[in-house]
Amino acid sequence: MQKLADFIWFNGKLIPWDESKIHVMTHGLHYSGAVYEGERAYSGKIFKLREHSERLIYSAKNIGLDFDYSVQEIMDICNLVIEKNNLQNAYIRPLVWRGSEAIKMYHDTLTTNFMVAAIPSNPEFRQDIRLNIGKWRKMDPRSFDPQIKSSAVYATAVLMLKEAKQQGFDDCILLDLDDNIAECAVSNIFFAKGKSIHTPVVGSFLNGITRQFVIKMLSEMGFAVEEKKISLNDIDQYDSCFMTGTAVEIAGVAMIDTGSNVQNFSNPIINDLQKKFAKEVGKICESECAKSF
Ligand code: PMP
């Protein structure tokens, strides 16, 4: 990958970006023995760093990784990485994975590795997102805890996203096994009509840190937020639809193509939501915002 920052923190020390190499026999690559986070820094401060660090530990522990960093240690490392790379507005990627000591599915010699990378990023807010519906569903939550942010579950999202983009969409909606809307590939989804906001009930999808923050923000703004089951047959009652997540921040959906129907959203509230979100997280988004994320 092209060099996007000077240093990566890798198993205990900062090393130059180009020297951050691992072996092809890495267990995390073969058997998805890896968990990760995605975080954003705004003006040098990482948004919800504690929550992300806690989730990384939760994820590592729940796929059985021996990961013994404390929340404070992880936070210090993430802060060090943006500081040493002189980053103000950035995307941060902590990753924990099983090493390359054995090819067996499980072996007690497998080590746990930890790296934190960060790259400059401050995208412009989107209001023009076009969604289709992924043909693969979210996994049964009895098969894998959806609150674990593990590479093991991203195959569905990556494939559905690839297909959506190849068909001219920006992202896709993933349904759960009961035909309810769950989320988008790597972000949560909300619908609104007037002051009333609906978002799917957490069950089969990741309860995003941004989602939880936005629900509080919306309540403070005087919206009534309700978590409820939403199917594709329900979406024509809404005038707004938006996505939340570390990558998209808060993005307006202009259109959903369900396959049998095209639903457009005028999104009368999205400007206010993005303005408030930017203020709350400390995002300064003028000329330096790149569309490149
Ligand atoms: N759902 C999935 C599947 C995700 O990967 C993400 C990104 N972490 C989200 C939702 C949004 O979560 P967050 O707001 O914590 O970034």
PDB file of all heavy atoms in Angstrom, residues 36-38 52 55 138 149 154 157 183-188 205-211 244-247, ligand 1:
ATOM      1  N   TYR A  36     -10.694  -5.611  14.786  1.00  0.00           N
ATOM      2  CA  TYR A  36     -10.158  -4.277  14.504  1.00  0.00           C
ATOM      3  C   TYR A  36     -11.122  -3.188  14.938  1.00  0.00           C
ATOM      4  O   TYR A  36     -12.255  -3.452  15.337  1.00  0.00           O
ATOM      5  CB  TYR A  36      -9.805  -4.145  13.028  1.00  0.00           C
ATOM      6  CG  TYR A  36     -10.987  -4.105  12.082  1.00  0.00           C
ATOM      7  CD1 TYR A  36     -11.461  -2.883  11.629  1.00  0.00           C
ATOM      8  CD2 TYR A  36     -11.618  -5.258  11.645  1.00  0.00           C
ATOM      9  CE1 TYR A  36     -12.539  -2.826  10.750  1.00  0.00           C
ATOM     10  CE2 TYR A  36     -12.689  -5.209  10.778  1.00  0.00           C
ATOM     11  CZ  TYR A  36     -13.144  -3.981  10.330  1.00  0.00           C
ATOM     12  OH  TYR A  36     -14.211  -3.930   9.477  1.00  0.00           O
ATOM     13  N   GLU A  37     -10.641  -1.953  14.844  1.00  0.00           N
ATOM     14  CA  GLU A  37     -11.466  -0.779  15.077  1.00  0.00           C
ATOM     15  C   GLU A  37     -11.257   0.218  13.952  1.00  0.00           C
ATOM     16  O   GLU A  37     -10.252   0.153  13.225  1.00  0.00           O
ATOM     17  CB  GLU A  37     -11.093  -0.089  16.413  1.00  0.00           C
ATOM     18  CG  GLU A  37     -11.788  -0.654  17.627  1.00  0.00           C
ATOM     19  CD  GLU A  37     -13.305  -0.628  17.488  1.00  0.00           C
ATOM     20  OE1 GLU A  37     -13.868   0.402  17.073  1.00  0.00           O
ATOM     21  OE2 GLU A  37     -13.948  -1.660  17.772  1.00  0.00           O
ATOM     22  N   GLY A  38     -12.213   1.106  13.797  1.00  0.00           N
ATOM     23  CA  GLY A  38     -12.068   2.260  12.915  1.00  0.00           C
ATOM     24  C   GLY A  38     -12.440   3.465  13.748  1.00  0.00           C
ATOM     25  O   GLY A  38     -13.494   3.465  14.396  1.00  0.00           O
ATOM     26  N   HIS A  52     -14.159   3.005  21.672  1.00  0.00           N
ATOM     27  CA  HIS A  52     -13.527   2.174  20.638  1.00  0.00           C
ATOM     28  C   HIS A  52     -12.508   1.207  21.262  1.00  0.00           C
ATOM     29  O   HIS A  52     -12.405   0.042  20.846  1.00  0.00           O
ATOM     30  CB  HIS A  52     -12.832   3.049  19.579  1.00  0.00           C
ATOM     31  CG  HIS A  52     -13.783   3.668  18.602  1.00  0.00           C
ATOM     32  ND1 HIS A  52     -14.380   2.948  17.596  1.00  0.00           N
ATOM     33  CD2 HIS A  52     -14.242   4.931  18.474  1.00  0.00           C
ATOM     34  CE1 HIS A  52     -15.179   3.746  16.889  1.00  0.00           C
ATOM     35  NE2 HIS A  52     -15.114   4.953  17.406  1.00  0.00           N
ATOM     36  N   ARG A  55     -14.304  -1.556  22.931  1.00  0.00           N
ATOM     37  CA  ARG A  55     -14.860  -2.507  21.960  1.00  0.00           C
ATOM     38  C   ARG A  55     -13.768  -3.400  21.375  1.00  0.00           C
ATOM     39  O   ARG A  55     -13.999  -4.583  21.128  1.00  0.00           O
ATOM     40  CB  ARG A  55     -15.603  -1.754  20.850  1.00  0.00           C
ATOM     41  CG  ARG A  55     -16.367  -2.685  19.910  1.00  0.00           C
ATOM     42  CD  ARG A  55     -17.347  -1.943  19.036  1.00  0.00           C
ATOM     43  NE  ARG A  55     -16.682  -1.141  18.016  1.00  0.00           N
ATOM     44  CZ  ARG A  55     -17.320  -0.322  17.170  1.00  0.00           C
ATOM     45  NH1 ARG A  55     -18.635  -0.193  17.230  1.00  0.00           N
ATOM     46  NH2 ARG A  55     -16.660   0.374  16.268  1.00  0.00           N
ATOM     47  N   LYS A 138     -27.599 -10.515   6.850  1.00  0.00           N
ATOM     48  CA  LYS A 138     -26.764 -10.518   8.047  1.00  0.00           C
ATOM     49  C   LYS A 138     -26.768 -11.930   8.632  1.00  0.00           C
ATOM     50  O   LYS A 138     -27.743 -12.667   8.504  1.00  0.00           O
ATOM     51  CB  LYS A 138     -27.325  -9.551   9.105  1.00  0.00           C
ATOM     52  CG  LYS A 138     -27.270  -8.096   8.744  1.00  0.00           C
ATOM     53  CD  LYS A 138     -25.871  -7.590   8.508  1.00  0.00           C
ATOM     54  CE  LYS A 138     -25.012  -7.577   9.753  1.00  0.00           C
ATOM     55  NZ  LYS A 138     -23.666  -7.002   9.489  1.00  0.00           N
ATOM     56  N   LYS A 149     -16.264  -6.913  16.480  1.00  0.00           N
ATOM     57  CA  LYS A 149     -15.841  -6.324  15.202  1.00  0.00           C
ATOM     58  C   LYS A 149     -14.662  -7.141  14.683  1.00  0.00           C
ATOM     59  O   LYS A 149     -13.502  -6.798  14.868  1.00  0.00           O
ATOM     60  CB  LYS A 149     -15.481  -4.855  15.412  1.00  0.00           C
ATOM     61  CG  LYS A 149     -15.658  -4.030  14.169  1.00  0.00           C
ATOM     62  CD  LYS A 149     -15.566  -2.562  14.449  1.00  0.00           C
ATOM     63  CE  LYS A 149     -15.049  -1.802  13.258  1.00  0.00           C
ATOM     64  NZ  LYS A 149     -15.706  -2.054  11.975  1.00  0.00           N
ATOM     65  N   TYR A 154     -16.898  -9.861   7.852  1.00  0.00           N
ATOM     66  CA  TYR A 154     -16.963  -8.808   6.844  1.00  0.00           C
ATOM     67  C   TYR A 154     -17.038  -9.306   5.402  1.00  0.00           C
ATOM     68  O   TYR A 154     -17.176  -8.512   4.471  1.00  0.00           O
ATOM     69  CB  TYR A 154     -15.832  -7.792   7.048  1.00  0.00           C
ATOM     70  CG  TYR A 154     -16.209  -6.835   8.164  1.00  0.00           C
ATOM     71  CD1 TYR A 154     -15.913  -7.132   9.484  1.00  0.00           C
ATOM     72  CD2 TYR A 154     -16.943  -5.689   7.901  1.00  0.00           C
ATOM     73  CE1 TYR A 154     -16.316  -6.304  10.509  1.00  0.00           C
ATOM     74  CE2 TYR A 154     -17.355  -4.846   8.917  1.00  0.00           C
ATOM     75  CZ  TYR A 154     -17.034  -5.158  10.219  1.00  0.00           C
ATOM     76  OH  TYR A 154     -17.458  -4.335  11.225  1.00  0.00           O
ATOM     77  N   ALA A 157     -20.328  -8.126   3.882  1.00  0.00           N
ATOM     78  CA  ALA A 157     -20.356  -6.685   3.614  1.00  0.00           C
ATOM     79  C   ALA A 157     -19.490  -6.330   2.406  1.00  0.00           C
ATOM     80  O   ALA A 157     -19.902  -5.553   1.540  1.00  0.00           O
ATOM     81  CB  ALA A 157     -19.881  -5.922   4.852  1.00  0.00           C
ATOM     82  N   GLU A 183     -28.885  -2.982   8.559  1.00  0.00           N
ATOM     83  CA  GLU A 183     -27.932  -1.868   8.497  1.00  0.00           C
ATOM     84  C   GLU A 183     -27.396  -1.776   7.071  1.00  0.00           C
ATOM     85  O   GLU A 183     -27.849  -2.503   6.179  1.00  0.00           O
ATOM     86  CB  GLU A 183     -26.790  -2.076   9.502  1.00  0.00           C
ATOM     87  CG  GLU A 183     -25.989  -3.345   9.247  1.00  0.00           C
ATOM     88  CD  GLU A 183     -24.770  -3.506  10.164  1.00  0.00           C
ATOM     89  OE1 GLU A 183     -24.419  -2.587  10.914  1.00  0.00           O
ATOM     90  OE2 GLU A 183     -24.155  -4.587  10.092  1.00  0.00           O
ATOM     91  N   CYS A 184     -26.425  -0.908   6.859  1.00  0.00           N
ATOM     92  CA  CYS A 184     -25.738  -0.864   5.571  1.00  0.00           C
ATOM     93  C   CYS A 184     -24.457  -1.689   5.710  1.00  0.00           C
ATOM     94  O   CYS A 184     -24.241  -2.335   6.739  1.00  0.00           O
ATOM     95  CB  CYS A 184     -25.470   0.578   5.162  1.00  0.00           C
ATOM     96  SG  CYS A 184     -27.002   1.491   4.861  1.00  0.00           S
ATOM     97  N   ALA A 185     -23.607  -1.683   4.682  1.00  0.00           N
ATOM     98  CA  ALA A 185     -22.450  -2.589   4.704  1.00  0.00           C
ATOM     99  C   ALA A 185     -21.608  -2.390   5.958  1.00  0.00           C
ATOM    100  O   ALA A 185     -21.312  -3.348   6.677  1.00  0.00           O
ATOM    101  CB  ALA A 185     -21.609  -2.394   3.448  1.00  0.00           C
ATOM    102  N   VAL A 186     -21.235  -1.129   6.229  1.00  0.00           N
ATOM    103  CA  VAL A 186     -20.435  -0.862   7.442  1.00  0.00           C
ATOM    104  C   VAL A 186     -20.927   0.393   8.152  1.00  0.00           C
ATOM    105  O   VAL A 186     -20.142   1.175   8.689  1.00  0.00           O
ATOM    106  CB  VAL A 186     -18.918  -0.747   7.132  1.00  0.00           C
ATOM    107  CG1 VAL A 186     -18.321  -2.098   6.866  1.00  0.00           C
ATOM    108  CG2 VAL A 186     -18.637   0.200   5.985  1.00  0.00           C
ATOM    109  N   SER A 187     -22.248   0.573   8.146  1.00  0.00           N
ATOM    110  CA  SER A 187     -22.809   1.716   8.871  1.00  0.00           C
ATOM    111  C   SER A 187     -24.244   1.393   9.273  1.00  0.00           C
ATOM    112  O   SER A 187     -24.868   0.497   8.700  1.00  0.00           O
ATOM    113  CB  SER A 187     -22.752   2.984   8.008  1.00  0.00           C
ATOM    114  OG  SER A 187     -23.336   2.739   6.766  1.00  0.00           O
ATOM    115  N   ASN A 188     -24.734   2.128  10.238  1.00  0.00           N
ATOM    116  CA  ASN A 188     -26.108   1.935  10.713  1.00  0.00           C
ATOM    117  C   ASN A 188     -27.053   2.856   9.941  1.00  0.00           C
ATOM    118  O   ASN A 188     -26.618   3.801   9.291  1.00  0.00           O
ATOM    119  CB  ASN A 188     -26.179   2.202  12.223  1.00  0.00           C
ATOM    120  CG  ASN A 188     -25.356   1.209  13.019  1.00  0.00           C
ATOM    121  OD1 ASN A 188     -24.425   1.577  13.736  1.00  0.00           O
ATOM    122  ND2 ASN A 188     -25.682  -0.063  12.897  1.00  0.00           N
ATOM    123  N   PHE A 205     -27.070  -6.786  14.031  1.00  0.00           N
ATOM    124  CA  PHE A 205     -26.056  -5.870  13.495  1.00  0.00           C
ATOM    125  C   PHE A 205     -25.277  -5.176  14.602  1.00  0.00           C
ATOM    126  O   PHE A 205     -25.703  -5.166  15.770  1.00  0.00           O
ATOM    127  CB  PHE A 205     -26.706  -4.828  12.566  1.00  0.00           C
ATOM    128  CG  PHE A 205     -27.711  -3.933  13.260  1.00  0.00           C
ATOM    129  CD1 PHE A 205     -27.305  -2.777  13.914  1.00  0.00           C
ATOM    130  CD2 PHE A 205     -29.060  -4.252  13.260  1.00  0.00           C
ATOM    131  CE1 PHE A 205     -28.231  -1.952  14.545  1.00  0.00           C
ATOM    132  CE2 PHE A 205     -29.993  -3.443  13.893  1.00  0.00           C
ATOM    133  CZ  PHE A 205     -29.568  -2.288  14.536  1.00  0.00           C
ATOM    134  N   LEU A 206     -24.157  -4.568  14.214  1.00  0.00           N
ATOM    135  CA  LEU A 206     -23.300  -3.860  15.160  1.00  0.00           C
ATOM    136  C   LEU A 206     -23.983  -2.569  15.631  1.00  0.00           C
ATOM    137  O   LEU A 206     -24.387  -1.744  14.807  1.00  0.00           O
ATOM    138  CB  LEU A 206     -21.968  -3.509  14.479  1.00  0.00           C
ATOM    139  CG  LEU A 206     -20.906  -2.879  15.368  1.00  0.00           C
ATOM    140  CD1 LEU A 206     -20.288  -3.904  16.310  1.00  0.00           C
ATOM    141  CD2 LEU A 206     -19.800  -2.220  14.528  1.00  0.00           C
ATOM    142  N   ASN A 207     -24.101  -2.429  16.940  1.00  0.00           N
ATOM    143  CA  ASN A 207     -24.677  -1.218  17.517  1.00  0.00           C
ATOM    144  C   ASN A 207     -23.578  -0.154  17.542  1.00  0.00           C
ATOM    145  O   ASN A 207     -22.857   0.004  18.525  1.00  0.00           O
ATOM    146  CB  ASN A 207     -25.187  -1.527  18.934  1.00  0.00           C
ATOM    147  CG  ASN A 207     -25.877  -0.345  19.567  1.00  0.00           C
ATOM    148  OD1 ASN A 207     -26.136   0.679  18.917  1.00  0.00           O
ATOM    149  ND2 ASN A 207     -26.168  -0.461  20.856  1.00  0.00           N
ATOM    150  N   GLY A 208     -23.436   0.551  16.445  1.00  0.00           N
ATOM    151  CA  GLY A 208     -22.287   1.446  16.246  1.00  0.00           C
ATOM    152  C   GLY A 208     -22.150   2.504  17.325  1.00  0.00           C
ATOM    153  O   GLY A 208     -23.140   2.986  17.897  1.00  0.00           O
ATOM    154  N   ILE A 209     -20.923   2.888  17.560  1.00  0.00           N
ATOM    155  CA  ILE A 209     -20.628   3.949  18.530  1.00  0.00           C
ATOM    156  C   ILE A 209     -21.209   5.274  18.012  1.00  0.00           C
ATOM    157  O   ILE A 209     -21.764   6.062  18.769  1.00  0.00           O
ATOM    158  CB  ILE A 209     -19.100   4.010  18.761  1.00  0.00           C
ATOM    159  CG1 ILE A 209     -18.673   2.738  19.515  1.00  0.00           C
ATOM    160  CG2 ILE A 209     -18.689   5.265  19.511  1.00  0.00           C
ATOM    161  CD1 ILE A 209     -17.175   2.493  19.569  1.00  0.00           C
ATOM    162  N   THR A 210     -21.136   5.489  16.712  1.00  0.00           N
ATOM    163  CA  THR A 210     -21.730   6.704  16.122  1.00  0.00           C
ATOM    164  C   THR A 210     -23.253   6.648  16.256  1.00  0.00           C
ATOM    165  O   THR A 210     -23.889   7.664  16.562  1.00  0.00           O
ATOM    166  CB  THR A 210     -21.346   6.823  14.624  1.00  0.00           C
ATOM    167  OG1 THR A 210     -19.997   6.410  14.459  1.00  0.00           O
ATOM    168  CG2 THR A 210     -21.513   8.241  14.121  1.00  0.00           C
ATOM    169  N   ARG A 211     -23.835   5.469  16.018  1.00  0.00           N
ATOM    170  CA  ARG A 211     -25.292   5.301  16.151  1.00  0.00           C
ATOM    171  C   ARG A 211     -25.753   5.713  17.545  1.00  0.00           C
ATOM    172  O   ARG A 211     -26.708   6.468  17.702  1.00  0.00           O
ATOM    173  CB  ARG A 211     -25.663   3.835  15.882  1.00  0.00           C
ATOM    174  CG  ARG A 211     -27.126   3.481  16.090  1.00  0.00           C
ATOM    175  CD  ARG A 211     -27.341   1.987  15.891  1.00  0.00           C
ATOM    176  NE  ARG A 211     -28.755   1.617  15.933  1.00  0.00           N
ATOM    177  CZ  ARG A 211     -29.414   1.320  17.057  1.00  0.00           C
ATOM    178  NH1 ARG A 211     -28.783   1.335  18.222  1.00  0.00           N
ATOM    179  NH2 ARG A 211     -30.704   1.006  17.006  1.00  0.00           N
ATOM    180  N   THR A 244     -25.146   6.252   9.683  1.00  0.00           N
ATOM    181  CA  THR A 244     -24.142   6.725  10.639  1.00  0.00           C
ATOM    182  C   THR A 244     -23.046   5.676  10.787  1.00  0.00           C
ATOM    183  O   THR A 244     -23.299   4.477  10.674  1.00  0.00           O
ATOM    184  CB  THR A 244     -24.754   6.986  12.037  1.00  0.00           C
ATOM    185  OG1 THR A 244     -25.206   5.744  12.597  1.00  0.00           O
ATOM    186  CG2 THR A 244     -25.891   7.982  11.987  1.00  0.00           C
ATOM    187  N   GLY A 245     -21.845   6.131  11.044  1.00  0.00           N
ATOM    188  CA  GLY A 245     -20.717   5.218  11.250  1.00  0.00           C
ATOM    189  C   GLY A 245     -19.431   6.024  11.214  1.00  0.00           C
ATOM    190  O   GLY A 245     -19.426   7.163  10.726  1.00  0.00           O
ATOM    191  N   THR A 246     -18.366   5.443  11.694  1.00  0.00           N
ATOM    192  CA  THR A 246     -17.098   6.172  11.729  1.00  0.00           C
ATOM    193  C   THR A 246     -16.675   6.591  10.326  1.00  0.00           C
ATOM    194  O   THR A 246     -16.204   7.708  10.120  1.00  0.00           O
ATOM    195  CB  THR A 246     -16.019   5.286  12.379  1.00  0.00           C
ATOM    196  OG1 THR A 246     -16.465   4.967  13.696  1.00  0.00           O
ATOM    197  CG2 THR A 246     -14.688   6.011  12.448  1.00  0.00           C
ATOM    198  N   ALA A 247     -16.852   5.720   9.343  1.00  0.00           N
ATOM    199  CA  ALA A 247     -16.408   6.047   7.991  1.00  0.00           C
ATOM    200  C   ALA A 247     -17.283   7.135   7.364  1.00  0.00           C
ATOM    201  O   ALA A 247     -16.774   8.145   6.890  1.00  0.00           O
ATOM    202  CB  ALA A 247     -16.401   4.793   7.119  1.00  0.00           C
TER     203      ALA A 247
HETATM  204  N1  PMP B   1     -22.002  -1.670  11.234  1.00  0.00           N
HETATM  205  C1  PMP B   1     -20.877  -2.290  10.831  1.00  0.00           C
HETATM  206  C2  PMP B   1     -20.982  -3.672  10.293  1.00  0.00           C
HETATM  207  C3  PMP B   1     -19.643  -1.651  10.924  1.00  0.00           C
HETATM  208  O1  PMP B   1     -18.532  -2.266  10.518  1.00  0.00           O
HETATM  209  C4  PMP B   1     -19.591  -0.333  11.417  1.00  0.00           C
HETATM  210  C5  PMP B   1     -18.275   0.377  11.472  1.00  0.00           C
HETATM  211  N2  PMP B   1     -17.596   0.089  12.657  1.00  0.00           N
HETATM  212  C6  PMP B   1     -20.775   0.270  11.860  1.00  0.00           C
HETATM  213  C7  PMP B   1     -21.972  -0.425  11.745  1.00  0.00           C
HETATM  214  C8  PMP B   1     -20.755   1.627  12.476  1.00  0.00           C
HETATM  215  O2  PMP B   1     -20.101   1.547  13.723  1.00  0.00           O
HETATM  216  P1  PMP B   1     -19.313   2.774  14.350  1.00  0.00           P
HETATM  217  O3  PMP B   1     -20.286   3.900  14.441  1.00  0.00           O
HETATM  218  O4  PMP B   1     -18.918   2.273  15.697  1.00  0.00           O
HETATM  219  O5  PMP B   1     -18.181   3.073  13.459  1.00  0.00           O
END
